[in-house]
Amino acid sequence: MKNKTIKIPIYRGTLRMFYAEDLTPLEIKYNTISLENFGAVVLTHPRKYKEYIVAFKYKDDYSLIAHEVVHLVNRIFLDCGQELDRENDEAQAYLSGYLFEEIHKFLLTCH
């Protein structure tokens, strides 16, 4: 299992990224439901505020990265009290782009 932790600028959170062909260790570590049939998952740390976890079984599926980024942005916005605004969505767009790029860079390092 590979992992990397980054700070999320502006929103003051932490993102822990994982890549593993088997997500069972995360299931145990974070006490989740079975992740056996998941290709990826977003979690919040049960004991650490604003610590987000994203884990992938597949490293080359860009649609899966985009899918999980939507979940991450929504959780970050909820924790910060930031409203999604469909008419002024620059904050959402910048955060989505940043998270996608960071996750993509991390997954490129996973062999």
Side-chain angles (χ1 to χ4, degrees):
M1 177 178 298
K2 285 196 77 162
N3 69 77
K4 181 180 180 182
T5 301
I6 62 166
K7 296 288 183 188
I8 303 168
I10 301 171
Y11 298 96
R12 298 185 182 186
T14 303
L15 177 62
R16 299 193 72 203
M17 299 174 281
F18 292 89
Y19 168 74
E21 291 180 13
D22 178 10
L23 299 179
T24 305
L26 292 173
E27 211 178 284
I28 296 164
K29 180 176 180 143
Y30 295 109
N31 193 28
T32 69
I33 61 170
S34 172
L35 301 176
E36 182 179 356
N37 296 318
F38 284 57
V41 66
V42 168
L43 307 166
T44 51
H45 195 289
R47 293 173 303 284
K48 294 183 181 176
Y49 180 60
K50 288 181 145 183
E51 182 165 308
Y52 309 94
I53 296 110
V54 64
F56 295 87
K57 271 189 193 178
Y58 312 105
K59 56 187 173 193
D60 299 321
D61 187 340
Y62 300 132
S63 66
L64 195 55
I65 297 171
H67 177 101
E68 297 308 323
V69 163
V70 170
H71 295 310
L72 281 168
V73 168
N74 286 331
R75 289 192 183 190
I76 292 166
F77 275 22
L78 281 170
D79 285 348
C80 294
Q82 175 81 30
E83 294 288 328
L84 291 173
D85 184 343
R86 294 185 305 167
E87 292 182 19
N88 182 10
D89 55 2
E90 286 301 312
Q92 178 186 6
Y94 277 109
L95 182 56
S96 297
Y98 172 78
L99 293 172
F100 187 98
E101 184 175 5
E102 291 299 318
I103 292 167
H104 181 247
K105 284 191 303 190
F106 164 68
L107 291 173
L108 286 174
T109 69
C110 300
H111 304 301

